[in-house]
Amino acid sequence: ETGVTQSPTHLIKTRGQQVTLRCSSQSGHNTVSWYQQALGQGPQFIFQYYREEENGRGNFPPRFSGLQFPNYSSELNVNALELDDSALYLCASSLGLAVSYEQYFGPGTRLTVT
Amino acid sequence: AQTVTQSQPEMSVQEAETVTLSCTYDTSESDYYLFWYKQPPSRQMILVIRQEAYKQQNATENRFSVNFQKAAKSFSLKISDSQLGDAAMYFCAYSPHGSGNTGKLIFGQGTTLQVKP
């Protein structure tokens, strides 16, 4: 059973560019959540996908968007990058929506916006 | 608004000793889960322990235990017999239960734990 994987590991982008981050969920998991973790801070919920549909969104602008594919892997897209978007982006997968299901985190993608 | 507060940015403990990390939260919900996550340097975040709010008994997982005080909205983590591998950032997190809730986690700011040999 493979764990949650994310790609790329690190990424450097320029302000105004667009970026796509990828997440492969753990085998059998149909729910993926994305979090943004600024340096020295706790993660903040961006949004969640369940069976290819968005199922909840945090306080992030529309330029943060996502997708979930039939194999339950997921993408996070950020348009018009700003300096404040520099952070560690974490995805977490779980067996379902219920909070009782443990969320398994990936290693994260470190995004630097210059 | 639902918030989680960790008032100790850094803590240190001697190897084999016991340390307690503090967490308070604010919510108007009556049914929810609380969690402690561990994030080692440059490694994946993992679940340490969790507590269901309707359960009065404090959760324990080997050397890790919690002190859950629902009325005070307090949820502290006790690590006994601290080991060098316990050094990490620890996050307290909250998630409301019930229909309409996504299972999203609301995290505190984290506490960096140093373990001294």
Side-chain angles (χ1 to χ4, degrees), chain B residues 31-47:
Chain B
D31 192 10
Y32 49 87
Y33 280 65
L34 294 163
F35 307 84
W36 278 98
Y37 280 87
K38 171 185 178 181
Q39 188 176 41
S42 301
R43 293 184 62 187
Q44 285 166 253
M45 190 169 319
I46 59 172
L47 178 65

Side-chain angles (χ1 to χ4, degrees), chain A residues 6-13 19-21 34-46 60 63-64 76 78 81-91 106-114, chain B residues 39 45:
Chain A
Q6 293 185 244
S7 63
T9 304
H10 297 88
L11 202 53
I12 300 175
K13 288 286 189 178
V19 69
T20 297
L21 310 182
W34 285 91
Y35 294 85
Q36 180 195 63
Q37 186 179 14
L39 195 62
Q41 301 295 316
Q44 290 194 44
F45 175 75
I46 302 174
F60 281 81
R63 59 189 185 84
F64 285 78
L76 164 65
V78 187
L81 283 167
E82 300 178 0
L83 296 178
D84 284 349
D85 295 334
S86 295
L88 181 68
Y89 288 85
L90 300 170
C91 77
T109 293
R110 173 75 63 188
L111 173 64
T112 302
V113 182
T114 62
Chain B
Q39 188 176 41
M45 190 169 319

Side-chain angles (χ1 to χ4, degrees), chain B:
Chain B
Q2 298 158 339
T3 59
V4 177
T5 302
Q6 294 177 248
S7 58
Q8 307 156 314
E10 295 179 358
M11 293 283 284
S12 69
V13 63
Q14 208 69 34
E15 195 176 7
E17 297 294 309
T18 296
V19 65
T20 299
L21 308 184
S22 301
C23 172
T24 59
Y25 60 95
D26 189 22
T27 183
S28 58
E29 303 275 349
S30 59
D31 192 10
Y32 49 87
Y33 280 65
L34 294 163
F35 307 84
W36 278 98
Y37 280 87
K38 171 185 178 181
Q39 188 176 41
S42 301
R43 293 184 62 187
Q44 285 166 253
M45 190 169 319
I46 59 172
L47 178 65
V48 174
I49 196 167
R50 68 180 177 184
Q51 175 81 39
E52 298 168 60
Y54 69 88
K55 289 188 176 179
Q56 293 188 340
Q57 185 172 9
N58 289 324
T60 62
E61 288 286 343
N62 301 311
R63 298 183 295 107
F64 298 88
S65 62
V66 298
N67 183 6
F68 173 48
Q69 302 289 328
K70 191 172 184 179
K73 296 180 181 174
S74 170
F75 183 61
S76 61
L77 173 69
K78 184 171 84 171
I79 306 174
S80 304
D81 186 26
S82 296
Q83 301 175 359
L84 295 177
D86 294 333
M89 181 164 275
Y90 286 81
F91 291 99
C92 177
Y94 159 94
S95 186
H97 193 218
S99 63
N101 289 307
T102 64
K104 74 174 185 181
L105 295 165
I106 300 169
F107 287 88
Q109 307 93 316
T111 297
T112 299
L113 177 66
Q114 181 186 29
V115 181
K116 298 178 180 178

